[in-house]
Amino acid sequence: MGLFDNFNNLFKSTPAITDRLITQLETIEGKQQQTISNLNTWSFKDLNTSLKDVSAQIKDIVAQVSQIVTVPRELAIKLSGIKEVHEKLCEEVANLEKIHADIDNLRRLNNDMQAVISREDPTKLQGKHVDLVTVASEIKQIINTLKYGSIDEEYSRILGETSQISKMLDKLSMCKADIESMRTRQQEFPDFILKSSLSAQKKLLKELATSIDLNQKLLENYPNLVLSGELDKLKQNQIILRNKVDKMILKQNNAFKIEELLATDTRRMDMLEYDEKILTDPNRGHWEVKEQDPIYVYRNPIKDIKTGGIVGIDCGTKSTIVVHQESSTDIVPMRIGTGNLRKEVQKNQFENPTVMEFNNIDKFLEEYNKPTGRPHTHWEDLTISHTALDGFLKSTSNEYYAYFNDLKQWCGNKDRIVRIKDKTGKIRDLPAFIDLPEDSFNPIEIYAYYLGLYINNMTNGIYLQYLVSCPVTYEKEIRDKVVRCFERGIKKSLPNEILNDEACMKKFSVKAGLSEPAGYVLSALSEYGFKPHGDDKVFYGVFDFGGGTTDFDFGIYRQANDTDHRRYHYAIEHFGAQGDRYLGGENLLELLAFNVFKENSALLLQEGVNFVLPPECKKFAGSEVLLSNSQEARRNMLQLMERLRPLWERHDNYEKLYEKGIISLSIDKNNGEMINLDLRVDQDMLETILYSRIERGVKSFFEALKISFSHPRVSGVNKIHIFLSGNSSKSVVVRELFERYVEEESHVIRESLHLEASSEIFEMFAPLGTTEAYQKMRERGIPVDEQDFLKPTGKTGVAFGLIMGRKSGKINIINYNNEKGGETKFRYYVGDVNRDNYFEPLINPDSIYGEWIEFTDASFEEFELYYTTSPEATTHRLEINNTTKLNITLNDSYDEDISVYLRPVSPSVIEYMVASRVGTDLKEVEAPISINLI
């Protein structure tokens, strides 16, 4: 029974006095609860303030109790039996006063502790924690005598925190031991120098010998030395010697610090160490030196912000390009992932493999997730670019999942999940990129972080504006998320001084730039010298043949006119963006490797070897035991792709590699055992496969071109300039196919545009940086320097175009490829098969989102539809086996007046619905269901 209840029972016969006492006790209890509430937010971090508040409130409680104590004293005279209650109240008052006194003691002890800490002398803390624990224990004993359990609980928490402080002091004791160890090393340092440094040894021994000689002379000639003042000189010489030794010791103390500072970015990203002058040159300085450092020069990173600096990033399937512009109109490529920037510049240094290597993800994230800029992550835990690719090519099948070279494909595919298993064995399963939570492990963000480190450092300076390219086929939702990931990653690479400066961060931005083909055409138009004047128009088409996909874009380049803002000099209207989703250099290598494995299937069956089924490839008889998604199967595919790369990329004397019709390959069996196999290779067959597949893409390009330039917005076409871009466009096969199709399609275009038969309707432009491109430039009267690495190429041109097409530039970019709101147009052709076994499109890239189109009757529970991204679908001559088929089951079958309706709802998603038509309206029978066509 509590104190409150005791009073309630004792004074039932005297209601007035009892009421008064109860009211005062309720006041105490209110104060107590208020104190407890404050204690809930109290921590030892703010003891000086919090303990004062606690003490004041306890004093208040004591005062209240003291007032109440006078009540039972008065009652003791008038009433019998009150003595016992009076004694209990006095005991409570005494206990509360003891608590107050002990807390006051605790506060003073804390002040002493804080004072010691502020002087950074951990040795004086020894033993203090014992007093602290004693005080807390005494408080605990006092609390146990009180009636209020809640106070007991609160001070138990205080005792727990006191224990934590004790642990902290134990750690400080360890620091003291480390300091003592360092002092011992300092004392040993002169001996260490004598043993390890020959030059220091000679110098020091010479000085010591001089000192010894002088001492000997002192003993022999003391009177003369005293009289001549030589003794003072001897003392001065010994002081100088002692100072030199002290400086050597100081240098040893700072040796580790110097190494840390100079190698700060070597550890982060395998960059060459900074030179030692950066620490002492007052015009330079180091970002990570403390501002108050008495020895080394601190430099505020804000001073290194590049005025007018803007960076363009083209993250490609196979490689990533970074370019930058500063205080002039020059655009310069930047070497990323090249540790030693002092090496001679090579062209391939600007094309950096889009690959990541995961050695120890947890250890990397431990540093990365700290709320600071430029965290102390370690390169050996997670690498990218050339280092990662080298490891990938040398890896075993067991390490396959430790590498990630499909960043771009993962982003663009809503159904693609990824498994990562770092070299410690830790497994992480990532959902589709669009479903990845914002705060989870994100390879795109980390890749952007590394790009940011290579861009923003004490060699390059700081850049605050970034433009990132995205494929034309990416949906707005995906584009926006990619940009957010790049923003977080690049921001993480900035120093804290930048992140904490509001004015700097207002200037920081990461935005989606032009699409890849649109970015390239800006570079190509500039490099080839196009400057339309007046009403002149340059009509163009871009065939962007990259590592993962091929994108098409068409448009008009003209001088800016009254419809454009006055700031612009030129304008580009681009439209008709389409592409071939599976036509890419790496996809072609997969196709070749698949066919080589298929031709050697009997041998692979016998040896127990698996390989992968790439997109567009079809299963064959007996393939059910050969095809797999295992790490062995994937590595086998990659190994063979690398062996076939010389054939696709036409390396020097590549024919000799295949002239015997056999290649030897190290390959993984299903059980993980590695063996060497001789595989049959038919070079002529592979050349035919390459030619056939690329021809499909070229044919699709010309079909898309005809559709685009027949649009009502296009008029006055007299010539179409075709620009080839992407490294894969350098292929001889591509050039031969375009020459053929230009000849075949010219008469069709002339007729549709009503041009004279003799007019040249097409003009071809080879990828920038090639011999054919330089020749074309000379023909157009443009000076050429083939050794100028700062000029855009067929690969780097996209990144150059990102900066040229920036909103603050002089070219007005008018994009008809996106719907209102920035969403990409629908990118598929959806339809059925006709009686001649050709594809018959019903929905196309110009179809309106959300508009229902009748597809077929619902008289059966099942129906089929077909889809493709190939513009060849518009010819009604696309063979149905070159499309993808979907089987769909309805809930029921219906009368013939009920139909299945289709509509596009996003760039890669359609919906179907069963409904009947009532006038102009549709009456729903089965609710709409979405289908993702990726």
Side-chain angles (χ1 to χ4, degrees):
M1 182 175 294
L3 185 60
F4 177 92
D5 293 325
N6 285 334
F7 275 110
N8 199 23
N9 292 330
L10 282 169
F11 302 119
K12 281 182 181 179
S13 60
T14 55
I17 298 175
T18 303
D19 289 343
R20 177 186 171 192
L21 192 55
I22 289 172
T23 300
Q24 290 177 311
L25 286 173
E26 286 175 342
T27 302
I28 294 176
E29 291 184 353
K31 290 289 183 179
Q32 178 195 8
Q33 292 303 320
Q34 183 180 351
T35 302
I36 292 169
S37 176
N38 288 337
L39 286 171
N40 285 334
T41 61
W42 178 60
S43 67
F44 273 88
K45 189 180 293 183
D46 299 310
L47 270 172
N48 289 337
T49 301
S50 299
L51 285 174
K52 287 179 182 178
D53 292 341
V54 173
S55 298
Q57 292 197 32
I58 291 179
K59 285 179 180 178
D60 190 24
I61 293 173
V62 172
Q64 290 289 336
V65 173
S66 297
Q67 291 177 14
I68 296 173
V69 168
T70 62
V71 175
R73 283 172 181 166
E74 293 172 1
L75 290 174
I77 300 171
K78 300 178 182 179
L79 303 173
S80 59
I82 198 69
K83 183 178 179 181
E84 182 180 334
V85 175
H86 172 242
E87 290 174 351
K88 288 182 179 180
L89 278 173
C90 290
E91 184 181 348
E92 293 285 356
V93 172
N95 286 336
L96 287 171
E97 288 175 342
K98 183 67 167 64
I99 291 173
H100 169 64
D102 284 334
I103 288 178
D104 231 21
N105 184 30
L106 182 62
R107 177 174 56 78
R108 287 193 298 273
L109 183 58
N110 174 70
N111 290 340
D112 293 342
M113 183 177 72
Q114 294 295 332
V116 172
I117 290 174
S118 67
R119 291 194 296 271
E120 297 181 354
D121 188 354
T123 60
K124 293 184 180 180
L125 287 175
Q126 301 306 308
K128 293 292 184 181
H129 63 286
V130 177
D131 295 335
L132 213 57
V133 173
T134 301
V135 171
S137 299
E138 290 174 357
I139 292 173
K140 172 74 173 180
Q141 292 173 4
I142 295 168
I143 291 167
N144 288 337
T145 67
L146 296 179
K147 304 297 182 182
Y148 304 105
S150 55
I151 294 180
D152 183 20
E153 293 171 2
E154 285 301 321
Y155 278 95
S156 294
R157 184 170 66 82
I158 292 173
L159 187 59
E161 292 190 9
T162 301
S163 177
Q164 291 180 10
I165 291 179
S166 177
K167 291 179 181 178
M168 180 188 74
L169 294 172
D170 288 341
K171 290 182 180 179
L172 290 174
S173 298
M174 295 173 65
C175 291
K176 179 193 174 187
D178 290 340
I179 291 170
E180 292 300 324
S181 175
M182 289 174 63
R183 287 175 178 166
T184 302
R185 290 181 61 191
Q186 290 169 9
Q187 293 168 1
E188 296 171 354
F189 177 67
D191 292 336
F192 169 77
I193 289 295
L194 292 174
K195 294 176 183 177
S196 62
S197 173
L198 183 60
S199 60
Q201 177 185 10
K202 290 179 178 179
K203 187 175 180 180
L204 191 58
L205 283 174
K206 184 177 180 181
E207 292 175 341
L208 289 172
T210 300
S211 178
I212 292 170
D213 289 343
L214 289 174
N215 279 317
Q216 184 63 36
K217 290 180 181 179
L218 173 64
L219 294 174
E220 296 173 356
N221 305 299
Y222 178 72
N224 293 332
L225 286 172
V226 172
L227 294 173
S228 64
E230 287 298 323
L231 180 61
D232 291 336
K233 292 181 181 179
L234 176 61
K235 290 180 179 178
Q236 187 65 29
N237 183 64
Q238 290 174 329
I239 291 171
I240 293 172
L241 180 60
R242 187 180 301 111
N243 288 339
K244 288 183 178 181
V245 173
D246 288 342
K247 286 181 181 179
M248 294 172 70
I249 293 173
L250 179 63
K251 188 173 181 180
Q252 168 67 4
N253 290 342
N254 291 324
F256 180 72
K257 182 178 178 181
I258 292 172
E259 180 185 353
E260 285 284 309
L261 291 170
L262 299 183
T264 183
D265 284 335
T266 305
R267 288 188 300 277
R268 282 192 184 96
M269 53 178 173
D270 196 31
M271 188 175 175
L272 192 68
E273 287 188 3
Y274 296 108
D275 64 278
E276 196 164 339
K277 279 287 186 180
I278 198 174
L279 298 174
T280 56
D281 189 335
N283 293 318
R284 295 174 67 189
H286 196 291
W287 292 350
E288 296 180 17
V289 168
K290 290 184 179 180
E291 194 167 359
Q292 301 82 11
D293 194 298
I295 300 175
Y296 304 122
V297 178
Y298 163 74
R299 183 173 180 84
N300 192 326
I302 293 177
K303 294 181 180 180
D304 290 326
I305 292 175
K306 298 292 184 179
T307 303
I310 184 169
V311 175
I313 302 174
D314 174 30
C315 186
T317 300
K318 186 181 176 185
S319 60
T320 296
I321 309 297
V322 176
V323 301
H324 68 284
Q325 185 183 69
E326 294 178 20
S327 55
S328 72
T329 57
D330 294 335
I331 300 173
V332 181
M334 185 179 289
R335 288 182 287 173
I336 300 293
T338 303
N340 188 355
L341 295 178
R342 295 175 189 153
K343 288 183 178 179
E344 183 180 359
V345 178
Q346 303 291 332
K347 275 188 177 181
N348 62 358
Q349 291 176 337
F350 300 116
E351 298 184 22
N352 307 282
T354 311
V355 185
M356 302 180 74
E357 176 186 24
F358 302 104
N359 294 317
N360 191 329
I361 295 176
D362 285 348
K363 189 177 175 185
F364 174 87
L365 291 178
E366 182 180 350
E367 290 295 331
Y368 182 82
N369 288 332
K370 291 180 179 178
T372 59
R374 284 173 58 85
H376 293 287
T377 55
H378 288 80
W379 178 252
E380 63 264 24
D381 296 329
L382 199 159
T383 76
I384 67 165
S385 196
H386 299 281
T387 301
L389 180 62
D390 290 343
F392 182 47
L393 297 178
K394 298 173 184 176
S395 65
T396 65
S397 63
N398 291 333
E399 297 174 332
Y400 176 81
Y401 289 113
Y403 297 89
F404 191 18
N405 64 339
D406 295 334
L407 272 77
K408 194 170 181 179
Q409 297 94 318
W410 176 54
C411 288
N413 192 330
K414 286 188 173 181
D415 291 332
R416 187 163 190 160
I417 60 175
V418 171
R419 166 162 286 193
I420 293 172
K421 180 181 179 183
D422 70 15
K423 292 183 180 179
T424 70
K426 182 67 174 289
I427 295 176
R428 291 176 183 265
D429 290 318
L430 301 180
F433 172 70
I434 197 63
D435 297 325
L436 189 71
E438 293 287 335
D439 58 349
S440 64
F441 170 67
N442 189 327
I444 301 297
E445 178 184 327
I446 293 171
Y447 189 78
Y449 161 69
Y450 269 119
L451 292 182
L453 288 177
Y454 283 115
I455 295 167
N456 301 302
N457 50 64
M458 286 175 274
T459 298
N460 294 336
I462 300 287
Y463 295 82
L464 296 180
Q465 296 183 48
Y466 298 83
L467 293 169
V468 181
S469 72
C470 287
V472 297
T473 53
Y474 275 12
E475 300 175 20
K476 184 177 185 300
E477 185 182 15
I478 293 176
R479 292 199 309 269
D480 291 346
K481 185 162 186 173
V482 168
V483 171
R484 289 198 304 273
C485 292
F486 267 83
E487 180 179 1
R488 288 197 303 269
I490 293 173
K491 188 182 291 185
K492 195 75 174 177
S493 74
L494 298 176
N496 289 321
E497 290 87 339
I498 303 290
L499 297 175
N500 296 331
D501 190 284
E502 186 176 351
C504 289
M505 294 313 294
K506 281 183 178 180
K507 299 176 184 178
F508 177 78
S509 67
V510 180
K511 298 177 180 178
L514 299 178
S515 68
E516 292 165 354
Y520 177 79
V521 80
L522 284 182
S523 296
L525 288 166
S526 175
E527 291 300 304
Y528 280 114
F530 285 93
K531 294 181 178 180
H533 182 72
D535 294 331
D536 293 341
K537 295 179 179 179
V538 179
F539 300 91
Y540 70 85
V542 180
F543 184 81
D544 183 10
F545 189 5
T549 61
T550 296
D551 294 330
F552 315 147
D553 199 31
F554 307 94
I556 301 168
Y557 184 50
R558 56 174 174 78
Q559 181 177 312
N561 55 36
D562 293 340
T563 64
D564 303 298
H565 196 281
R566 63 182 180 179
R567 72 163 61 194
Y568 297 119
H569 297 162
Y570 298 97
I572 273 192
E573 304 174 36
H574 64 113
F575 46 81
Q578 294 194 52
D580 190 328
R581 180 183 172 192
Y582 295 116
L583 179 59
E586 300 307 298
N587 303 86
L588 286 173
L589 285 170
E590 283 187 337
L591 180 63
L592 297 182
F594 175 81
N595 279 278
V596 170
F597 279 137
K598 180 179 176 181
E599 291 300 307
N600 290 270
S601 58
L603 175 62
L604 300 182
L605 279 169
Q606 176 183 335
E607 296 292 342
V609 173
N610 284 162
F611 55 99
V612 176
L613 179 68
E616 293 192 307
C617 293
K618 298 178 181 180
K619 295 180 179 180
F620 54 90
S623 64
E624 61 273 7
V625 293
L626 288 170
L627 300 177
S628 171
N629 280 321
S630 68
Q631 56 190 14
E632 288 80 15
R634 290 181 176 275
R635 186 174 182 277
N636 290 339
M637 177 65 76
L638 289 167
Q639 290 289 98
L640 184 52
M641 285 168 61
E642 289 304 313
R643 293 301 303 275
L644 298 175
R645 190 176 295 279
L647 184 149
W648 157 233
E649 296 181 355
R650 294 295 195 268
H651 295 182
D652 292 341
N653 301 317
Y654 75 93
E655 297 95 338
K656 290 185 178 180
L657 299 174
Y658 314 104
E659 61 185 0
K660 295 181 180 180
I662 295 289
I663 59 172
S664 295
L665 187 71
S666 295
I667 213 162
D668 290 308
K669 298 178 66 172
N670 301 339
N671 60 8
E673 178 187 351
M674 182 176 288
I675 59 173
N676 291 321
L677 286 182
D678 290 336
L679 302 179
R680 298 192 309 276
V681 176
D682 186 337
Q683 182 177 338
D684 292 337
M685 178 194 75
L686 297 181
E687 298 277 10
T688 300
I689 290 171
L690 277 176
Y691 195 92
S692 175
R693 182 60 188 90
I694 295 173
E695 182 177 15
R696 278 176 52 196
V698 174
K699 186 177 181 180
S700 293
F701 172 80
F702 278 94
E703 293 302 329
L705 182 149
K706 287 184 281 188
I707 295 169
S708 297
F709 284 102
S710 63
H711 197 279
R713 77 167 62 92
V714 182
S715 61
V717 181
N718 53 14
K719 180 186 282 188
I720 299 172
H721 305 78
I722 297 177
F723 296 97
L724 302 180
S725 72
N727 278 339
S728 297
S729 284
K730 299 175 184 178
S731 166
V732 176
V733 177
V734 173
R735 186 172 66 247
E736 292 176 353
L737 282 167
F738 264 94
E739 289 174 353
R740 195 186 103 197
Y741 270 82
V742 162
E743 182 65 28
E744 293 177 358
E745 295 292 337
S746 290
H747 72 283
V748 178
I749 299 295
R750 286 194 197 97
E751 290 178 2
S752 64
L753 299 178
H754 308 291
L755 299 176
E756 296 180 3
S758 60
S759 63
E760 182 185 7
I761 187 61
F762 293 116
E763 185 174 2
M764 294 290 302
F765 294 82
L768 294 173
T770 61
T771 302
E772 295 84 355
Y774 293 133
Q775 180 60 34
K776 190 76 169 180
M777 290 176 185
R778 293 188 182 99
E779 292 173 5
R780 295 176 62 85
I782 300 170
V784 172
D785 180 3
E786 296 188 21
Q787 301 305 313
D788 188 353
F789 293 168
L790 303 184
K791 291 291 186 179
T793 66
K795 173 60 181 174
T796 65
V798 173
F800 277 76
L802 288 174
I803 294 181
M804 295 173 66
R806 67 195 184 280
K807 287 186 177 181
S808 60
K810 297 301 181 182
I811 302 174
N812 187 19
I813 309 298
I814 305 168
N815 185 5
Y816 294 112
N817 288 318
N818 293 343
E819 298 283 351
K820 291 181 179 179
E823 181 59 278
T824 307
K825 288 186 175 181
F826 188 63
R827 62 174 185 245
Y828 288 87
Y829 296 87
V830 181
D832 207 345
V833 56
N834 65 21
R835 61 174 52 90
D836 295 321
N837 220 31
Y838 292 120
F839 177 69
E840 192 71 33
L842 183 69
I843 300 176
N844 59 59
D846 286 326
S847 295
I848 300 172
Y849 285 134
E851 188 174 285
W852 290 108
I853 299 172
E854 187 174 4
F855 178 65
T856 188
D857 64 82
S859 56
F860 295 98
E861 293 180 8
E862 295 181 354
F863 72 94
E864 298 174 352
L865 60 82
Y866 301 81
Y867 65 93
T868 180
T869 58
S870 174
E872 190 181 352
T874 60
T875 66
H876 305 280
R877 302 296 293 176
L878 177 64
E879 294 183 0
I880 201 65
N881 64 352
N882 286 326
T883 66
T884 302
K885 183 182 74 170
L886 278 179
N887 292 321
I888 300 172
T889 303
L890 303 176
N891 294 335
D892 204 347
S893 58
Y894 303 94
D895 296 336
E896 290 191 4
D897 61 342
I898 296 178
S899 300
V900 175
Y901 291 83
L902 305 177
R903 67 177 180 184
V905 293
S906 76
S908 60
V909 177
I910 62 171
E911 287 182 345
Y912 71 88
M913 174 181 72
V914 179
S916 61
R917 184 171 292 280
V918 180
T920 58
D921 297 328
L922 295 178
K923 183 179 179 181
E924 181 181 302
V925 177
E926 289 188 18
I929 294 179
S930 296
I931 301 174
N932 194 336
L933 301 180
I934 291 180

